[in-house]
Amino acid sequence: MKFTCETKLLADAVMGVSRAVSSSSSVPVLQGLLLKAEGFRLELTGYDLEMAITTEVEANVLEPGQIVLPAKLLGDMLRSLSSAEVQVESQETLATHIKGGITEYDLLGMNAADFPDLPAPGADLAFELDAAELAAMIGNTLYAVSTDDKKPAHTGELFCIEPGELTLVALDGFRLAIVHHPVVTDREINIVVPAKTAAEVARLLGDCGEAIRVDANNRFVVFSGGGITVMSRLIEGEFLNYKTVVPEGYKTRVVVDVPLFEKAIERSSVIITERLKNPLRVTFTADGIDIRCQTPLGRVSDQLEAEVEGAEVEIGFNYRYLLDALRNSGCDRVVLELSGPLSPVKILPAEGDDFLFLVLPVRFKND
């Protein structure tokens, strides 16, 4: 195999597909990238047996062929080159020579035949959605995905695909994030996409400037767009019926400025540490919002204006959970709907109904 290619083009492609490489695998070939050169294109694939990322770049292929090269080492070599063009040449012995300007590297590749075959997903079109909009939906919910392997389904994001609408749901037992977006589809299928896959889709495809095609069945999902394909196995298991945990109605309704609320929470949490995890005492009154906290490090009290309707209520919050919801709202103003000191708090956009976040309260020790 022998080809020449733009250095930056190849380096960027290697960096992208390397996101699917298992750096901790005991199988050396899984720590590598499969390179296939033919005609005027070079195809690169990374695969960790759960997720595969494939892309193509333009190349002048002088001798077609394929080889597996160590992903991290290849990426480091390409990023270090100062030349605009790089030449890669592999021998039948798997010895590979990389030359860029006055810099030359030699490394030993691995046999392409040892690289595992990607499964044939057999998935059908589920929907298409603008890349930036899909990335935003993932970004607005990913914070609430569980990291507890005891409930595997909750370590991923639920893609609820219904005629005319896509709903993404993430939850971890303390938080719930739901976002909606209209899509053109007549499919009706629920799939749980691993959090890592969802994150890579947002990262790699979010800026491609075109619609992302999503194909899915009960075992696989395939995201493709911008010359990149991300294929992943789905997470099996029962995802919580999220509709049953969303409280109906409210006793107190609060409209608050998000940046001001964020800053007040940040100021009030400076005395909270990993060891001293006391909750914030947040009181919603007719005059606005009072925030208090006390730990062995000290005491803090803060206030901010808000539009409060209904009964006065004091609620305990894990400040990180509240901040995460506000930061991922993407709004200047949100509505908080409260049903009592121990009921989940609903966070909604002040305008529209694109999302719904839930944050569970924290019991005070004297309750």
Side-chain angles (χ1 to χ4, degrees):
M1 181 184 75
K2 184 177 181 180
F3 66 86
T4 59
C5 182
E6 288 185 26
T7 304
K8 186 179 186 308
L9 197 65
L10 183 55
D12 289 346
V14 167
M15 182 172 63
V17 296
S18 292
R19 306 292 302 184
V21 172
S22 175
S23 59
S24 60
S25 175
S26 59
V27 182
V29 76
L30 293 181
Q31 298 183 34
L33 300 179
L34 175 63
L35 278 65
K36 293 183 179 179
E38 186 177 10
F40 293 94
R41 66 183 183 91
L42 173 69
E43 181 183 89
L44 299 93
T45 302
Y47 183 37
D48 65 0
L49 301 182
E50 294 295 329
M51 177 179 71
I53 301 176
T54 301
T55 191
E56 291 183 358
V57 296
E58 292 183 0
N60 181 17
V61 179
L62 305 173
E63 296 177 11
Q66 54 185 342
I67 195 170
V68 177
L69 297 178
K72 185 179 184 308
L73 186 57
L74 178 60
D76 290 343
M77 289 176 174
L78 292 171
R79 285 190 295 272
S80 70
L81 296 178
S82 58
S83 60
E85 188 174 82
V86 60
Q87 182 183 87
V88 179
E89 182 177 5
S90 295
Q91 307 295 332
E92 291 185 4
T93 60
L94 304 179
T96 302
H97 184 72
I98 298 175
K99 183 179 187 329
I102 60 173
T103 306
E104 299 184 34
Y105 290 110
D106 287 292
L107 71 160
L108 186 63
M110 293 167 276
N111 197 322
D114 295 332
F115 196 83
D117 293 331
L118 271 60
D124 298 320
L125 175 64
F127 64 89
E128 291 186 351
L129 184 60
D130 178 79
E133 293 172 346
L134 179 59
M137 292 182 71
I138 294 171
N140 290 344
T141 52
L142 205 57
Y143 76 93
V145 170
S146 175
T147 57
D148 187 354
D149 291 334
K150 293 179 181 178
K151 295 182 178 180
H154 295 166
T155 63
E157 286 205 310
L158 174 67
F159 280 57
C160 182
I161 303 163
E162 300 172 301
E165 186 174 64
L166 168 67
T167 302
L168 264 59
V169 184
L171 58 89
D172 64 0
F174 305 99
R175 301 169 290 184
L176 170 67
I178 306 170
V179 296
H180 309 275
H181 199 287
V183 294
V184 178
T185 181
D186 57 3
R187 294 281 303 274
E188 189 165 356
I189 183 173
N190 289 347
I191 60 175
V192 182
V193 178
K196 178 183 177 182
T197 300
E200 296 308 332
V201 168
R203 186 197 314 270
L204 297 174
L205 304 182
D207 295 328
C208 76
E210 62 182 57
I212 300 302
R213 177 187 170 109
V214 181
D215 298 88
N217 56 22
N218 291 322
R219 295 185 58 207
F220 295 95
V221 63
V222 182
F223 300 86
S224 53
I228 299 174
T229 299
V230 179
M231 181 183 70
S232 175
R233 296 183 188 274
L234 298 173
I235 298 178
E236 299 179 358
E238 193 73 23
F239 198 93
L240 178 72
N241 183 356
Y242 63 93
K243 296 179 181 178
T244 64
V245 301
V246 178
E248 295 184 3
Y250 57 87
K251 295 180 180 178
T252 307
R253 184 177 188 272
V254 182
V255 182
V256 63
D257 182 276
V258 172
L260 291 181
F261 201 8
E262 286 182 13
K263 290 178 182 177
I265 295 170
E266 290 168 354
R267 290 193 298 267
S268 301
S269 62
V270 295
I271 60 171
I272 301 175
T273 67
E274 286 300 313
R275 186 172 60 87
L276 306 171
K277 296 182 179 179
N278 289 18
L280 294 180
R281 288 179 177 266
V282 183
T283 306
F284 301 90
T285 73
D287 297 325
I289 302 175
D290 295 333
I291 303 175
R292 292 175 290 126
C293 186
Q294 182 173 343
T295 74
L297 293 178
R299 180 183 301 173
V300 62
S301 176
D302 208 334
Q303 295 179 325
L304 73 152
E305 295 182 354
E307 301 171 20
V308 182
E309 300 175 3
E312 179 176 318
V313 61
E314 181 182 69
I315 301 180
F317 286 104
N318 178 314
Y319 84 94
R320 291 186 183 276
Y321 293 166
L322 190 54
L323 268 182
D324 283 345
L326 293 172
R327 288 170 176 168
N328 285 281
S329 68
C331 296
D332 292 328
R333 285 159 60 84
V334 294
V335 173
L336 279 65
E337 294 183 352
L338 321 169
S339 299
L342 299 179
S343 296
V345 175
K346 288 193 287 187
I347 300 177
L348 306 157
E351 298 180 2
D353 59 354
D354 293 344
F355 69 83
L356 184 154
F357 298 158
L358 282 190
V359 179
L360 268 63
V362 178
R363 285 181 177 269
F364 300 120
K365 290 183 179 179
N366 58 354
D367 284 349

